[in-house]
Amino acid sequence: MASTRSSSDGALPVVDLAPFFSTAEDAAAARARATEAVREACMDTGFFRIVNHGVPRELMARVLELSAAFFALPDEEKAKVRPAEGSSSTPLPAGYLRPPADSPDKNEYLLVFNPELVLNVYLAEPAGFRDTIEECYAKLTNLGLLIQEILNECMGLLPGFLADYNDDRNFDFLSLIRYLPATSAEDTNGVSAHKDNTLITFVLQDDVGGLEILGSDGFVPVEPVEGTIIVNIGDIVQVLSNKKFKSPTHRVVRKLGAHRHSLAFFVNLHGDKWVEPLPQFAANVGEAPRYRGFKYGDYMQLRLKNTTHPPSRPEDAVGITHYAI
């Protein structure tokens, strides 16, 4: 199954990854169809939905259930896993955080990094929380490698190019997020409109909804579908492809009377990696580069300031246009 419906009405293309886990004789043809569906989605909106992705449905439900239990704990309990000032060597600190009081974003979140880095902090409750998160982290890491391989094919790159270019998993991270209920029909911002400064992003969401993507006629909702994972490509793919593939603008709108729980997993580059349009999408095809080159860590720091020191106007937040030519 591979659908290429436009998301202008909120219906994301659906890509079946089952062929990538199959050794059947007809799997190669099915993989080619799925890869083409991903390519079309990335050139159209940058968003698609995946099924048969290798992450057990029960695990997806359990991690969101335990996440809800964690965020329901008293604030003084959650504060015990707040990161200490300067406690992390990564661009973002592991642990429980909230946006600054003056931020338009109304949510709270728990950041988790590669467990091998021994940076993560957990409470004893809810029971099984750490094991479930780490199991989910491992599954999504493997899924990220698969989607990266598919993107490599979609972009027409030499086999293994992206795997060699992005061979360090220590800048990936997982974020469990609770969005607070809207207080009025005018105060619904959960996360302001933005593009992700990633290579690939995965989103698991509960049944409340609220994720919206910017289409040709404005923002449209991405409705929850049980057992599926939402994928969007980020700014790095947009730059590497010289804007042939799209890093989509999206936001989260809060609902009246309801918390929203979601999990986002971000596949990132190492901070020292240099990012610029690849020759295959620029000089080799007679096109001028649409972005100047930059070190990924520098861009991450610029984006981090949007969170730690939010501008008074959301439209003034720094994005990939900072490097546009």
Side-chain angles (χ1 to χ4, degrees), residues 71-80 82 96 98 108 178:
F71 287 116
L73 293 171
D75 287 348
E76 56 269 25
E77 283 298 303
K78 291 180 287 189
K80 293 177 181 178
R82 281 187 179 274
Y96 171 74
R98 286 189 175 188
E108 53 185 334
R178 180 169 83 159

Side-chain angles (χ1 to χ4, degrees), residues 4 13 148 175 293:
T4 56
Q148 180 174 266
S175 180

Side-chain angles (χ1 to χ4, degrees), residues 144 148 151 162 165-166 169 196-201 232-237 240 266-269 296:
Q148 180 174 266
L151 281 176
L162 286 179
Y165 178 64
N166 184 29
R169 302 274 53 83
D196 289 347
N197 61 310
T198 61
L199 196 80
I200 304 162
T201 301
N232 68 271
I233 59 172
D235 291 342
I236 302 310
V237 175
L240 294 177
F266 303 99
V267 180
N268 292 316
L269 297 178
Y296 183 59

